[in-house]
């Protein structure tokens, strides 16, 4: 296997644009790539690769042909968007070129999966991806085609027998879970804000997989307000043990940056520093349990200047084997670019100034009266016995 890391990038992914005022502002993608370049990660540590858009035969690995046809129609004429497919809604407005932009993002994630499986790269990153709400037959939650599901489906098509998907976006990875609900070859783990308080109102601990695939869906429903200590405690209380038991050949991770305390659409209180620590943990877990095969995707994240570019640049740097010191100053020319594009002031450092700590759930014990510990225990009780693990 190559030791190189690939960054999947085509400037045209910024055409995934729901319009002025929509939270999913594509400037977050452009600013992330410019920050990657400002740290010169594209000059050696990362091989920047543009994959082809996903064609219909690839899209059909996950999506129904009638839905793909509906996206094409809305893409050619946004006024023809069919609400029955989730197109033309407030969350997913139709826009000209929607199919092409969505297929291009999907193509980057599929290309990342192919590169890692074939050994062309040890790790591959597509921060434009992670559109995890897309359903086989409909758009949902800012997501048209589900590139994460398509990457996993392509891995299975290439011969993978066990793929683990770890989703740390603030929203439940419902589309990926639904796609592989009855497939025992895919383990989906999602840590997210509790469905009582956040879209899509799914991801309860009792959701553990369909018939023949019991225990292959794990959901940690975190209380609103959970910060660094609780988020890291929950991650380490669930993810490593399940990966050790499942023995994945590839790990696909989704790194939505909307867990951050500045994110306008959710209610967790996680710092950039904790997000970086989870990215590092995912990298280490891939080496520990999957021979280093790691596909890392972006996802949500709506603090498009302060949070998203820094979080995903850390992710890319970790994948490249050249992690950025959190105390590093943000390059000044990038800060000028931010102001030019957005008229907002950019952050000065690659840190929120936090040094997160957490207590280990197993070694340090848990508090049955603590809401975070109750959430972790509910997940462990629901899923761990299916893997021969003690809850």
């Amino acid at each position: 296997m190559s030791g190189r890391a690939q960054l999947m990038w085509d400037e045209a992914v910024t055409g995934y644009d729901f319009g002025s005022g929509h939270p999913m502002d594509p400037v977050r993608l452009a600013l992330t790539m410019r920050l990657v370049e400002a740290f010169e990660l594209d000059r050696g540590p990362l091989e920047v690769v543009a994959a082809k858009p996903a064609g219909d035969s690839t899209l059909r690995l996950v999506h129904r042909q009638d839905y793909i046809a509906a996206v094409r129609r809305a893409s050619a004429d946004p006024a023809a968007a069919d609400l029955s497919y989730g197109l033309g809604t407030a969350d997913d407005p139709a826009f000209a070129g929607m199919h092409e932009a969505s297929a291009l993002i999907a193509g980057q994630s599929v290309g990342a999966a192919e590169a890692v499986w074939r050994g062309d790269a040890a790790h591959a990153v597509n921060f434009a991806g992670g559109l995890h709400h897309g359903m086989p037959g409909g758009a949902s939650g800012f997501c048209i085609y589900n590139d994460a599901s398509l990457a996993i489906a392509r891995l299975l098509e290439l011969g993978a027998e066990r793929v683990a998907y770890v989703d740390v976006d603030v929203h439940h990875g419902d589309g990926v879970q639904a796609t592989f609900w009855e497939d025992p070859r895919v383990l989906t783990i999602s840590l997210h804000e509790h469905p009582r308080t956040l879209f899509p109102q799914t991801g309860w601990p009792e959701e553990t997989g369909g018939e023949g695939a019991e225990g292959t869906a794990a959901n940690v429903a975190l209380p609103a307000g959970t910060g660094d200590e609780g988020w890291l405690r929950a991650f380490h209380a669930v993810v490593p043990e399940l990966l050790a038991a499942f023995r994945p050949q590839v790990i696909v991770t989704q790194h939505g940056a909307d867990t951050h305390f500045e994110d306008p659409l959710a209610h967790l209180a996680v710092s950039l520093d904790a997000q970086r620590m989870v990215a590092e943990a995912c990298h280490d877990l891939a080496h520990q349990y999957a021979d280093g095969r790691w596909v890392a995707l972006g996802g949500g994240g709506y603090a498009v200047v302060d949070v998203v570019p820094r979080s995903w640049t850390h992710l890319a740097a970790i994948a490249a084997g050249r992690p950025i010191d959190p105390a590093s100053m943000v390059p000044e020319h990038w800060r000028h670019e931010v102001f030019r594009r957005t008229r907002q002031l950019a952050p000065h450092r690659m840190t929120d100034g936090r040094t997160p700590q957490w207590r280990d759930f197993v070694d340090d014990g848990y508090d049955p009266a603590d809401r975070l510990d109750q959430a972790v225990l509910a997940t462990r009780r629901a899923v761990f016995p299916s893997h021969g693990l003690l809850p």
Side-chain angles (χ1 to χ4, degrees), residues 305-306 334-335 338-339 342-348:
V305 167
D306 252 17
W334 182 79
R335 297 179 60 245
V338 167
F339 188 77
T342 68
R343 290 296 183 262
Q344 294 183 46
L345 297 177
H348 285 262

Side-chain angles (χ1 to χ4, degrees), residues 87-109:
L87 301 169
T89 63
D91 274 2
D92 298 285
F95 61 91
M98 180 170 62
H99 166 79
E100 290 76 12
S102 302
L104 183 61
I105 290 174
Q108 306 315 303
S109 292

Side-chain angles (χ1 to χ4, degrees), residues 25-385:
D25 188 336
V27 75
R28 69 199 193 117
L29 304 179
L31 291 178
T32 301
M33 190 61 195
R34 300 294 85 81
L35 189 55
V36 165
E37 293 166 347
F39 277 104
E40 299 187 350
L41 296 173
D42 59 324
R43 299 185 187 179
L46 282 172
E47 180 185 8
V48 179
V49 177
K52 295 179 180 178
D56 279 19
S57 61
T58 297
L59 294 173
R60 283 198 300 269
L61 292 174
V62 168
H63 295 289
R64 298 198 320 249
Q65 181 60 50
D66 61 309
Y67 172 57
I68 298 168
V71 174
R72 283 186 176 277
R73 288 193 300 272
S75 184
D77 178 10
D82 189 337
L83 290 170
S84 69
Y85 290 103
L87 301 169
T89 63
D91 274 2
D92 298 285
F95 61 91
M98 180 170 62
H99 166 79
E100 290 76 12
S102 302
L104 183 61
I105 290 174
Q108 306 315 303
S109 292
V110 170
E114 291 172 343
V116 167
W117 182 253
R118 291 173 175 159
D120 297 335
H123 315 319
V125 179
N126 176 26
F127 57 74
L131 304 178
H132 59 169
H133 296 307
M135 292 291 175
S140 177
F142 313 164
C143 305
I144 307 300
Y145 295 139
N146 193 320
D147 64 283
S149 291
L150 287 162
I152 295 167
R154 180 62 174 142
L155 288 166
L156 299 176
E157 187 179 47
L158 290 171
E161 296 172 348
R162 293 179 309 281
V163 180
Y165 173 73
V166 180
D167 188 319
V168 296
D169 192 288
V170 79
H171 302 90
H172 177 226
D174 57 339
V176 184
Q177 176 180 288
T179 299
F180 302 105
W181 183 247
E182 296 179 340
D183 194 332
R185 298 173 297 173
V186 180
L187 170 68
T188 64
I189 308 173
S190 179
L191 284 82
H192 46 266
E193 185 179 326
H194 201 287
R196 281 199 193 95
T197 54
L198 195 67
F199 175 90
Q201 283 78 52
T202 58
W204 299 79
E206 297 80 13
E207 298 170 31
T208 58
E211 186 175 353
E214 294 85 358
T216 60
N219 289 290
V220 188
L222 301 167
T226 296
D228 288 354
E229 180 182 350
W231 194 62
L232 292 167
R233 178 172 168 84
F235 179 92
H236 289 283
V238 172
V239 177
E241 286 182 74
L242 286 178
L243 293 181
F246 188 69
R247 298 178 298 112
Q249 294 161 296
V250 190
I251 295 177
V252 179
T253 57
Q254 196 268 21
H255 297 265
D258 43 9
T259 51
H260 196 272
F261 55 78
E262 285 187 21
D263 198 88
L265 299 190
H267 318 97
L268 295 191
V270 173
S271 71
L272 178 75
D273 302 285
Q275 291 177 342
R276 174 181 49 79
M277 291 171 71
V278 159
E280 289 175 338
C282 289
H283 171 258
D284 293 345
L285 289 167
H287 281 282
Q288 194 167 354
Y289 298 118
D291 292 324
R293 296 188 191 93
W294 181 33
V295 177
L297 308 174
Y302 310 101
V304 299
V305 167
D306 252 17
V307 178
V308 175
R310 292 187 297 162
S311 186
W312 292 347
T313 298
H314 275 304
L315 175 67
I318 290 162
R322 206 181 86 185
I324 296 168
D325 184 340
S328 299
M329 295 295 292
V330 173
E332 188 173 357
H333 63 277
W334 182 79
R335 297 179 60 245
H336 289 309
E337 176 72 0
V338 167
F339 188 77
R340 185 185 71 80
R341 284 177 175 257
T342 68
R343 290 296 183 262
Q344 294 183 46
L345 297 177
H348 285 262
R349 293 187 181 272
M350 292 296 287
T351 177
D352 285 335
R354 309 281 179 90
T355 51
Q357 306 286 329
W358 77 94
R359 294 177 300 110
D360 185 86
F361 189 85
V362 175
D363 292 345
D364 294 347
Y366 62 90
D367 178 358
D370 181 85
R371 290 173 64 215
L372 186 281
D373 284 0
Q374 290 170 358
V376 169
L377 193 58
T379 303
R380 290 174 62 102
R381 283 175 172 163
V383 177
F384 275 36

